[in-house]
Amino acid sequence: MDPRSLEEHEFGARIHQVLFPATPIQSSEFLFGREAQLDRIRRSLMAPGRQIFIYGERGVGKSSLANAAAAEYQSSDAPPIHVSCSSDGTFNSVVWALIKATNAEPNGSVSVRTEGHVQAKFLGASRQHEETTPVSTQPLNIEEAAARLDSAFERYSKQSIAVIDEFDRIPDSKERNRFAELLKALGDRNSRVKLIFTGVASALNELLESHASAHRQLDTIELARLNFQPRIDIVKKALAAFDTDADMSVIYRIGNVSNGFPYYVHLMAEQLLWVWYEDRTADTIELKHLHNAFARAADVVHADLRRPYDQAARGRDHAAYVLWAVADAYDLERGNDAIWRSYQLICEALPTEPLERRKVTEQLRKLRDQSHASILAVDPARRLHRFNEAMVRGYVRMVAASQGIELDDQNFDVPPQIMHIPRASNRKRWFDTDKFLPPVGMGKARR
C-alpha cells in the first residue's frame, strides 16, 4: 500500500515515530552515531558515586543522548526522572523537583475518617477525626538534600536515574556550584542516586572549578556534531519506514546542509516526507521535492534561530551572502581570506556583482554589531569569525540551500599561518533542482 494513501494525521503520526524535530529522542534505536558515548555512559554509571555531565553546542543532541542513556539504565518498573532547568531555577528548586517526581514524600493530603454515627428521628450526628499528612518542603542544606534524594530514589524504583537538562539555564553561578557539593555528599553516602546533567562547556568548567573533588564524581562527555554517515542513516531509516527511497544525492544534500546538527537532519527529512506526501505523481523522492523541503524547513525553524538572521540580512542581500560565506566550510570559525573566497564564489554562482573586499570586511564588522543582531563574533587574536550561536549557522546554511547554493561541509580551511598557499577550487554551483544531479562521491575534496 502506498503510504500516501494514509489520512494526513496517520501519515504525520508515522513520521514522528522515526523523526524527532521537536522533541529529544527517547530510545537508542533512533540515536545514530552516538554508540561510543552510550557505551561510555553505561560503564561510567556502574561506578558508585559517579555521575555524568554531557556538554556541547546547542542542537548537537545532548538531551537525546541523556534520555537514551537514562532509558537504558533505568529499571523497567518506572520511567526515568526528568527535570528541565529554567531561568528562575535554583539548587533547592531543582532538587525539590527531583524529589517530587518520585512521589516518595508526603504531599499534604487530608484524610477524613468517621469513627461513629448516631441516627435520631429528625437528627443525624457523627463524630469525625481529621488527619493531615505533613507537607514536604524544600531541603535546607546539602546534607539534607543528599539524604532525601537517596531515600526518594531508593523508594522510586529498583534502579533509578534522573536527567537534569539544560543545567546552564540556572542563572546564578553560586546556585549551580552547589551541585558540586551535592555530588560530593552523594558520593560520601555511597548513594545509589544517579544523575545525568546536560549543559554548555562554560557551566561545566565552572562546576568543576567550584569544588576540588567534582572531577572525581563526574564523567564529562563532550558531544560534537554528527559525522556524515550517521546523518545519512537517520534519513534512510525515516524513508524505510514509508517503504520509499530517494536518490542518494538527495540524502547526501540533507547531510551536507545540516552541518552535523541532528535537529536539522530531522527537520529537513520531516519536511521532505510531507512534500512527497502531497505529490502523488512521483513514485520516489526527487530533487524537486528536496528544494521545496529546504524552503519549508527554513520557514518552520524556531523563531530564536530565525530572528538573528532576519535582523542581520533583511533588505541587505550582500549581508546575507557574507553570512553564507562564513558558513561555507566544516569549520565553525573562518578567517577573512577564506570568507572572501567563498563570498566571491557565491556571487559568481548567483550571479551578482560582488562588493569590493574592503566593503565585505565592513560587512563583517557590521554583522558583529547589535544593529545586525550581533550574529557574528570575532576572536581578535586569531582574526577568526564565527556565529555567536552555532545553531544559527545551521539555519544560514539551510537558507542558502533553499536559494540553490551548495555550501561546503567536508573541507577544513587552510590554517592562517600558511594561508598564502593557493587552494584548488571548483566554481561554486547554483542548483537547477530539475536538472542537476550532485556527485555522490562525498569522500572527495570539493575544492
Side-chain angles (χ1 to χ4, degrees), residues 1-137:
M1 183 186 75
D2 187 343
R4 289 172 294 181
S5 64
L6 295 170
E7 293 292 332
E8 184 179 64
H9 71 278
E10 295 175 315
F11 191 85
R14 186 180 292 191
I15 286 178
H16 296 115
Q17 288 173 358
V18 291
L19 291 170
F20 308 90
T23 58
I25 292 168
Q26 304 295 325
S27 167
S28 57
E29 176 187 359
F30 301 102
L31 196 69
F32 293 94
R34 305 304 193 195
E35 294 80 8
Q37 290 86 353
L38 278 171
D39 288 345
R40 178 173 162 184
I41 292 172
R42 182 174 60 253
R43 292 167 183 171
S44 287
L45 290 174
M46 294 177 185
R50 183 177 293 159
Q51 318 296 345
I52 307 295
F53 198 116
I54 304 169
Y55 68 100
E57 295 280 358
R58 179 184 177 192
V60 295
K62 299 185 296 295
S63 298
S64 292
L65 175 60
N67 288 346
E72 285 193 353
Y73 180 87
Q74 174 67 45
S75 56
S76 59
D77 51 343
I81 299 164
H82 188 279
V83 171
S84 291
C85 299
S86 63
S87 57
D88 60 352
T90 64
F91 171 83
N92 277 356
S93 68
V94 171
V95 171
W96 180 224
L98 291 171
I99 292 171
K100 287 197 295 183
T102 66
N103 290 317
E105 292 196 359
N107 60 8
S109 59
V110 176
S111 61
V112 177
R113 182 172 68 254
T114 301
E115 294 187 341
H117 187 79
V118 178
Q119 181 70 48
K121 185 174 182 179
F122 301 104
L123 180 65
S126 63
R127 289 185 302 161
Q128 293 182 336
H129 174 70
E130 187 177 273
E131 185 178 278
T132 306
T133 355
V135 179
S136 266
T137 57

Side-chain angles (χ1 to χ4, degrees), residues 245-279:
D245 201 358
D247 190 282
M248 284 306 296
S249 59
V250 172
I251 299 174
Y252 280 139
R253 280 285 282 148
I254 290 178
N256 178 287
V257 172
S258 72
N259 209 201
F261 291 100
Y263 166 68
Y264 289 123
V265 180
H266 285 259
L267 180 63
M268 287 184 283
E270 174 199 32
Q271 296 305 315
L272 182 66
L273 283 167
W274 277 120
V275 172
W276 177 66
Y277 175 75
E278 294 165 6
D279 181 7

